[in-house]
Amino acid sequence: MLVDPWFAALFQREAWPGELKIFLHRVEPFGHGYGVALIAATVVMLTQFRWCVFYGMLACALGSGLAANLGKLFINRVRPHSLPVDFNGNSFVGIRSLGQMFDFEHSMVSTMQSFPSAHTATAFGFAIALTALFPKARNWFFTLAVLVGLQRVVHGSHHPSDVLIGAAVGLVAGSFLLHRVQQWGWIEPVVEQDQPLVSVPVSPLPVQQQPVPDQEIAKAS
């Protein structure tokens, strides 16, 4: 993308506000494996869902991230934070052959794994799974996924085009995996709009008996 070098230059000049960096750093776990696992476990424990729903959410999120990571094995692209100062060229180094792809000593070098963004793919795959469970909050889930992508750009880990392709990978892979886990019964049908998500036992209030006046007692006797 034409804007990629411009965003890389912004990172090198540290032009992003510090408050923005701190805020986005707090959102990053939504696209990280550990954060996804903690959020998914919390969802299961706060609702009436079975634990297979936990595995379904992990499958959609981590499977989408894995699909993006597979793309990194084929394509070499330098991360923005590893580019020379005032770089204005092509950050794509090339496409690996099969032999180079399985040369893990060189293919797993992080500075060459910019394309696509696996964090963003994970976040969008996770948002798809959560939307299937809580459709009323879909806008919130995808807002978090977009913020994860923005964090990757502001942090200097990815170019904007890496994030856009990562989001596309997450949407496609997440939708496919959601369909599969629903067939396996790992994710239940959509929760009804008016159905409470948390079951809170309510005990009946004690019934207070009104005192009987003395006159009525005298009449009864």
Side-chain angles (χ1 to χ4, degrees):
M1 283 182 66
L2 297 176
V3 298
D4 285 348
W6 183 75
F7 275 93
L10 282 179
F11 168 79
Q12 292 168 348
R13 294 197 302 268
E14 297 185 356
W16 301 106
E19 293 78 8
L20 177 63
K21 289 182 177 181
I22 295 173
F23 169 73
L24 293 176
H25 183 70
R26 301 291 186 265
V27 184
E28 189 260 348
F30 191 79
H32 192 278
Y34 293 128
V36 167
L38 290 174
I39 295 171
T42 303
V43 167
V44 172
M45 286 187 283
L46 290 179
T47 61
Q48 297 177 338
F49 294 136
R50 296 175 297 165
W51 274 100
C52 63
V53 177
F54 170 79
Y55 301 119
M57 287 187 283
L58 288 187
C60 292
L62 302 186
S64 300
L66 178 61
N69 279 323
L70 290 176
K72 296 175 184 288
L73 295 178
F74 289 96
I75 301 173
N76 281 329
R77 191 181 195 187
V78 182
R79 294 183 185 270
H81 59 61
S82 298
L83 290 173
V85 178
D86 297 328
F87 179 82
N88 197 27
N90 185 6
S91 56
F92 284 99
V93 177
I95 298 177
R96 295 186 181 95
S97 65
L98 288 178
Q100 292 173 328
M101 186 178 66
F102 291 103
D103 182 10
F104 294 108
E105 182 179 355
H106 296 90
S107 63
M108 300 304 290
V109 177
S110 177
T111 57
M112 304 294 290
Q113 293 183 337
S114 183
F115 186 87
S117 170
H119 275 74
T120 307
T122 300
F124 274 87
F126 193 28
I128 286 177
L130 288 171
T131 298
L133 297 169
F134 311 107
K136 290 181 66 176
R138 63 169 60 88
N139 292 337
W140 173 243
F141 298 141
F142 283 102
T143 297
L144 291 175
V146 170
L147 290 176
V148 170
L150 181 58
Q151 188 271 341
R152 305 310 290 163
V153 174
V154 171
H155 188 261
S157 298
H158 290 286
H159 303 274
S161 56
D162 303 335
V163 169
L164 291 177
I165 299 302
V169 171
L171 290 172
V172 173
S175 299
F176 171 78
L177 291 169
L178 175 64
H179 177 69
R180 297 298 299 173
V181 298
Q182 284 179 329
Q183 287 182 330
W184 299 336
W186 286 8
I187 288 185
E188 303 292 337
V190 171
V191 175
E192 295 295 335
Q193 298 285 339
D194 299 327
Q195 179 180 344
L197 299 178
V198 181
S199 177
V200 179
V202 179
S203 57
L205 295 175
V207 179
Q208 295 182 353
Q209 295 182 352
Q210 298 294 333
V212 181
D214 297 339
Q215 295 177 355
E216 294 186 5
I217 295 176
K219 291 179 180 180
S221 59

